[in-house]
Amino acid sequence: MRRSLLPAALAALAGALALTGCGSDSGGRPELSAGAAYMPQPVSADMAAGFLTVTNKGGGADELTSVTSDIAGEVTMHSTSGGAMTEKTSFAVPAHGRLVFRSGADHLMFEGLKRKPREGQRVTVRLGFAHSKPLTVEMPVRSATYIPSTGN
Ligand code: CU
């Protein structure tokens, strides 16, 4: 009787692991998290830039399709190449990859500011995706000249 219990328990455990997408093989689903967020204190009273990284540990790709914030009337997503800035409606989050918004490259633009963000404050940012549930990020406001210490 005890012998028959063990395989059943293992099967249940394996089933639970498969359901939560645990491990490196997550069955083609995205597993997103957001980090490295900051907003340099803006010079202008009506526009600010913001940066963050979305990490995908899952085996499925996703897309960032919307960004909203408590502080801004509108948040737009911009790509930068060759010094030119282009507004985009979505950004890919590759499987087992990252979407990086960073200074001098792709970035978020907060427009129609309801208040001017000051160093030390936090701005709430909500990220919407094509497949995954939305993520909420608390974005700290840094000094106007802040540069992250790591290149990651
Ligand atoms: Cu821009």
Side-chain angles (χ1 to χ4, degrees), residues 15-57:
L17 288 174
L19 280 175
T20 55
C22 202
S24 58
D25 180 19
S26 58
R29 280 185 313 236
E31 286 174 46
L32 306 183
S33 61
Y38 74 97
M39 169 183 285
Q41 181 176 296
V43 183
S44 150
D46 39 49
M47 193 179 280
F51 309 104
L52 56 83
T53 298
V54 178
T55 301
N56 185 358
K57 286 203 273 184

Short mmCIF file of all heavy atoms in Angstrom, two decimals, residues 15-57:
data_model
loop_
_atom_site.label_atom_id
_atom_site.label_comp_id
_atom_site.label_asym_id
_atom_site.label_seq_id
_atom_site.Cartn_x
_atom_site.Cartn_y
_atom_site.Cartn_z
N GLY A 15 2.76 17.27 -11.83
CA GLY A 15 1.64 18.00 -12.38
C GLY A 15 1.61 19.43 -11.87
O GLY A 15 1.39 20.37 -12.64
N ALA A 16 1.90 19.59 -10.57
CA ALA A 16 1.90 20.93 -9.99
C ALA A 16 3.00 21.79 -10.60
O ALA A 16 2.81 22.96 -10.88
CB ALA A 16 2.09 20.84 -8.48
N LEU A 17 4.16 21.18 -10.81
CA LEU A 17 5.27 21.92 -11.41
C LEU A 17 4.93 22.35 -12.83
O LEU A 17 5.23 23.45 -13.24
CB LEU A 17 6.54 21.06 -11.42
CG LEU A 17 7.20 20.83 -10.07
CD1 LEU A 17 8.35 19.85 -10.20
CD2 LEU A 17 7.69 22.14 -9.48
N ALA A 18 4.28 21.44 -13.57
CA ALA A 18 3.91 21.77 -14.94
C ALA A 18 2.91 22.92 -14.97
O ALA A 18 2.99 23.81 -15.80
CB ALA A 18 3.31 20.54 -15.63
N LEU A 19 1.99 22.92 -14.00
CA LEU A 19 0.97 23.97 -13.96
C LEU A 19 1.56 25.34 -13.67
O LEU A 19 1.13 26.34 -14.21
CB LEU A 19 -0.08 23.65 -12.89
CG LEU A 19 -1.15 22.64 -13.30
CD1 LEU A 19 -2.03 22.31 -12.12
CD2 LEU A 19 -1.98 23.19 -14.44
N THR A 20 2.57 25.39 -12.80
CA THR A 20 3.13 26.69 -12.44
C THR A 20 4.22 27.11 -13.42
O THR A 20 4.77 28.18 -13.30
CB THR A 20 3.73 26.66 -11.01
OG1 THR A 20 4.69 25.60 -10.95
CG2 THR A 20 2.67 26.44 -9.97
N GLY A 21 4.53 26.24 -14.38
CA GLY A 21 5.55 26.61 -15.36
C GLY A 21 6.92 26.70 -14.74
O GLY A 21 7.76 27.48 -15.15
N CYS A 22 7.16 25.89 -13.71
CA CYS A 22 8.43 25.94 -12.99
C CYS A 22 9.54 25.32 -13.84
O CYS A 22 9.30 24.40 -14.61
CB CYS A 22 8.28 25.17 -11.68
SG CYS A 22 9.48 25.63 -10.46
N GLY A 23 10.74 25.83 -13.69
CA GLY A 23 11.86 25.28 -14.42
C GLY A 23 12.09 26.00 -15.73
O GLY A 23 11.40 26.95 -16.06
N SER A 24 13.07 25.52 -16.48
CA SER A 24 13.46 26.25 -17.68
C SER A 24 12.49 26.02 -18.84
O SER A 24 12.33 26.87 -19.69
CB SER A 24 14.87 25.83 -18.10
OG SER A 24 14.91 24.44 -18.31
N ASP A 25 11.83 24.87 -18.85
CA ASP A 25 10.88 24.62 -19.92
C ASP A 25 9.48 24.97 -19.46
O ASP A 25 8.83 24.21 -18.76
CB ASP A 25 10.93 23.14 -20.35
CG ASP A 25 9.95 22.85 -21.48
OD1 ASP A 25 9.52 23.81 -22.14
OD2 ASP A 25 9.60 21.69 -21.66
N SER A 26 9.00 26.14 -19.82
CA SER A 26 7.72 26.60 -19.30
C SER A 26 6.62 26.43 -20.34
O SER A 26 5.57 27.04 -20.24
CB SER A 26 7.83 28.05 -18.86
OG SER A 26 8.24 28.83 -19.96
N GLY A 27 6.87 25.64 -21.33
CA GLY A 27 5.81 25.31 -22.28
C GLY A 27 5.38 26.47 -23.15
O GLY A 27 4.22 26.58 -23.51
N GLY A 28 6.29 27.37 -23.48
CA GLY A 28 5.99 28.41 -24.44
C GLY A 28 5.19 29.58 -23.93
O GLY A 28 4.62 30.32 -24.71
N ARG A 29 5.13 29.76 -22.61
CA ARG A 29 4.41 30.90 -22.06
C ARG A 29 5.41 31.96 -21.57
O ARG A 29 6.45 31.63 -21.03
CB ARG A 29 3.54 30.48 -20.88
CG ARG A 29 2.23 29.85 -21.30
CD ARG A 29 1.40 29.59 -20.05
NE ARG A 29 2.23 28.96 -19.03
CZ ARG A 29 1.93 27.81 -18.45
NH1 ARG A 29 0.86 27.16 -18.78
NH2 ARG A 29 2.73 27.31 -17.54
N PRO A 30 5.06 33.23 -21.73
CA PRO A 30 5.94 34.27 -21.17
C PRO A 30 5.81 34.32 -19.65
O PRO A 30 4.74 34.04 -19.11
CB PRO A 30 5.41 35.57 -21.80
CG PRO A 30 4.01 35.26 -22.24
CD PRO A 30 3.93 33.78 -22.48
N GLU A 31 6.91 34.64 -18.98
CA GLU A 31 6.91 34.88 -17.52
C GLU A 31 7.63 36.19 -17.30
O GLU A 31 8.85 36.24 -17.30
CB GLU A 31 7.67 33.77 -16.79
CG GLU A 31 6.94 32.45 -16.71
CD GLU A 31 7.83 31.39 -16.09
OE1 GLU A 31 8.47 31.67 -15.05
OE2 GLU A 31 7.92 30.30 -16.66
N LEU A 32 6.86 37.25 -17.13
CA LEU A 32 7.44 38.59 -17.14
C LEU A 32 7.64 39.16 -15.75
O LEU A 32 6.86 38.90 -14.84
CB LEU A 32 6.52 39.53 -17.93
CG LEU A 32 6.15 39.11 -19.35
CD1 LEU A 32 5.31 40.18 -20.00
CD2 LEU A 32 7.39 38.80 -20.17
N SER A 33 8.69 39.95 -15.61
CA SER A 33 8.88 40.78 -14.43
C SER A 33 9.53 42.08 -14.89
O SER A 33 10.17 42.12 -15.93
CB SER A 33 9.75 40.06 -13.40
OG SER A 33 11.03 39.80 -13.94
N ALA A 34 9.33 43.13 -14.11
CA ALA A 34 9.88 44.43 -14.47
C ALA A 34 10.83 44.90 -13.39
O ALA A 34 10.62 44.64 -12.21
CB ALA A 34 8.76 45.46 -14.68
N GLY A 35 11.91 45.59 -13.80
CA GLY A 35 12.87 46.10 -12.84
C GLY A 35 13.68 47.23 -13.43
O GLY A 35 13.41 47.67 -14.55
N ALA A 36 14.69 47.66 -12.65
CA ALA A 36 15.61 48.73 -13.07
C ALA A 36 14.88 49.98 -13.54
O ALA A 36 15.31 50.66 -14.46
CB ALA A 36 16.56 48.21 -14.17
N ALA A 37 13.76 50.28 -12.88
CA ALA A 37 12.96 51.43 -13.31
C ALA A 37 13.46 52.72 -12.66
O ALA A 37 13.81 52.73 -11.49
CB ALA A 37 11.50 51.21 -12.94
N TYR A 38 13.51 53.78 -13.42
CA TYR A 38 13.75 55.12 -12.85
C TYR A 38 13.31 56.20 -13.82
O TYR A 38 13.20 55.97 -15.03
CB TYR A 38 15.22 55.31 -12.46
CG TYR A 38 16.17 55.51 -13.62
CD1 TYR A 38 16.57 56.79 -14.01
CD2 TYR A 38 16.66 54.42 -14.34
CE1 TYR A 38 17.45 56.99 -15.07
CE2 TYR A 38 17.54 54.62 -15.40
CZ TYR A 38 17.93 55.90 -15.76
OH TYR A 38 18.79 56.08 -16.81
N MET A 39 13.06 57.35 -13.25
CA MET A 39 12.72 58.54 -14.02
C MET A 39 13.67 59.65 -13.59
O MET A 39 13.70 60.00 -12.42
CB MET A 39 11.27 58.95 -13.73
CG MET A 39 10.90 60.33 -14.29
SD MET A 39 9.21 60.82 -13.87
CE MET A 39 8.27 59.80 -15.00
N PRO A 40 14.47 60.19 -14.52
CA PRO A 40 15.27 61.37 -14.15
C PRO A 40 14.32 62.54 -13.88
O PRO A 40 13.37 62.73 -14.64
CB PRO A 40 16.13 61.63 -15.38
CG PRO A 40 15.97 60.44 -16.27
CD PRO A 40 14.65 59.83 -15.92
N GLN A 41 14.58 63.30 -12.81
CA GLN A 41 13.73 64.46 -12.54
C GLN A 41 13.73 65.35 -13.77
O GLN A 41 14.79 65.77 -14.24
CB GLN A 41 14.26 65.23 -11.34
CG GLN A 41 13.39 66.44 -10.99
CD GLN A 41 13.86 67.15 -9.75
OE1 GLN A 41 13.85 66.61 -8.67
NE2 GLN A 41 14.29 68.41 -9.92
N PRO A 42 12.53 65.60 -14.33
CA PRO A 42 12.48 66.32 -15.61
C PRO A 42 12.79 67.80 -15.46
O PRO A 42 12.52 68.40 -14.43
CB PRO A 42 11.04 66.11 -16.07
CG PRO A 42 10.27 65.88 -14.82
CD PRO A 42 11.20 65.20 -13.85
N VAL A 43 13.37 68.35 -16.51
CA VAL A 43 13.64 69.78 -16.56
C VAL A 43 12.34 70.52 -16.87
O VAL A 43 12.04 71.56 -16.30
CB VAL A 43 14.69 70.07 -17.67
CG1 VAL A 43 15.05 71.55 -17.70
CG2 VAL A 43 15.93 69.22 -17.47
N SER A 44 11.57 69.92 -17.76
CA SER A 44 10.30 70.51 -18.18
C SER A 44 9.19 70.13 -17.20
O SER A 44 9.26 69.10 -16.53
CB SER A 44 9.97 69.98 -19.58
OG SER A 44 8.58 69.93 -19.78
N ALA A 45 8.18 70.98 -17.11
CA ALA A 45 7.07 70.72 -16.21
C ALA A 45 5.98 69.89 -16.88
O ALA A 45 5.04 69.44 -16.22
CB ALA A 45 6.49 72.03 -15.70
N ASP A 46 6.09 69.67 -18.16
CA ASP A 46 5.00 68.93 -18.81
C ASP A 46 5.42 67.64 -19.52
O ASP A 46 4.60 66.95 -20.09
CB ASP A 46 4.22 69.84 -19.78
CG ASP A 46 5.11 70.77 -20.57
OD1 ASP A 46 6.11 70.29 -21.13
OD2 ASP A 46 4.82 71.97 -20.59
N MET A 47 6.72 67.30 -19.45
CA MET A 47 7.16 66.08 -20.09
C MET A 47 8.32 65.45 -19.32
O MET A 47 9.18 66.16 -18.82
CB MET A 47 7.60 66.38 -21.52
CG MET A 47 7.79 65.16 -22.38
SD MET A 47 8.29 65.64 -24.05
CE MET A 47 6.72 66.09 -24.75
N ALA A 48 8.32 64.11 -19.22
CA ALA A 48 9.40 63.41 -18.54
C ALA A 48 9.71 62.12 -19.27
O ALA A 48 8.85 61.56 -19.96
CB ALA A 48 9.01 63.10 -17.09
N ALA A 49 10.95 61.64 -19.11
CA ALA A 49 11.33 60.35 -19.69
C ALA A 49 11.39 59.31 -18.58
O ALA A 49 11.58 59.65 -17.41
CB ALA A 49 12.69 60.46 -20.37
N GLY A 50 11.21 58.05 -18.94
CA GLY A 50 11.30 56.97 -17.96
C GLY A 50 11.95 55.76 -18.58
O GLY A 50 11.86 55.54 -19.79
N PHE A 51 12.63 54.98 -17.70
CA PHE A 51 13.37 53.82 -18.17
C PHE A 51 13.08 52.62 -17.29
O PHE A 51 12.90 52.75 -16.07
CB PHE A 51 14.88 54.12 -18.17
CG PHE A 51 15.22 55.39 -18.88
CD1 PHE A 51 15.54 56.54 -18.18
CD2 PHE A 51 15.18 55.46 -20.27
CE1 PHE A 51 15.83 57.74 -18.84
CE2 PHE A 51 15.47 56.64 -20.94
CZ PHE A 51 15.80 57.78 -20.22
N LEU A 52 13.07 51.44 -17.87
CA LEU A 52 12.89 50.21 -17.11
C LEU A 52 13.25 49.02 -18.00
O LEU A 52 13.45 49.16 -19.21
CB LEU A 52 11.45 50.08 -16.60
CG LEU A 52 10.30 50.15 -17.60
CD1 LEU A 52 10.04 48.80 -18.27
CD2 LEU A 52 9.03 50.61 -16.90
N THR A 53 13.34 47.86 -17.36
CA THR A 53 13.63 46.63 -18.08
C THR A 53 12.53 45.62 -17.79
O THR A 53 12.16 45.43 -16.64
CB THR A 53 14.99 46.05 -17.62
OG1 THR A 53 16.02 46.99 -17.94
CG2 THR A 53 15.30 44.73 -18.32
N VAL A 54 12.01 44.99 -18.84
CA VAL A 54 11.07 43.88 -18.67
C VAL A 54 11.84 42.60 -19.00
O VAL A 54 12.41 42.47 -20.09
CB VAL A 54 9.85 44.01 -19.60
CG1 VAL A 54 8.92 42.81 -19.44
CG2 VAL A 54 9.10 45.31 -19.33
N THR A 55 11.89 41.69 -18.04
CA THR A 55 12.60 40.42 -18.22
C THR A 55 11.59 39.29 -18.43
O THR A 55 10.60 39.21 -17.71
CB THR A 55 13.48 40.13 -16.98
OG1 THR A 55 14.40 41.21 -16.82
CG2 THR A 55 14.25 38.83 -17.16
N ASN A 56 11.86 38.45 -19.40
CA ASN A 56 10.98 37.32 -19.71
C ASN A 56 11.74 36.02 -19.47
O ASN A 56 12.64 35.67 -20.21
CB ASN A 56 10.54 37.41 -21.18
CG ASN A 56 9.53 36.34 -21.55
OD1 ASN A 56 9.17 35.50 -20.73
ND2 ASN A 56 9.07 36.38 -22.79
N LYS A 57 11.36 35.33 -18.38
CA LYS A 57 12.03 34.06 -18.06
C LYS A 57 11.34 32.88 -18.74
O LYS A 57 11.79 31.75 -18.63
CB LYS A 57 12.03 33.84 -16.54
CG LYS A 57 13.04 34.73 -15.83
CD LYS A 57 13.44 34.15 -14.49
CE LYS A 57 12.49 34.58 -13.39
NZ LYS A 57 12.90 34.12 -12.07
#
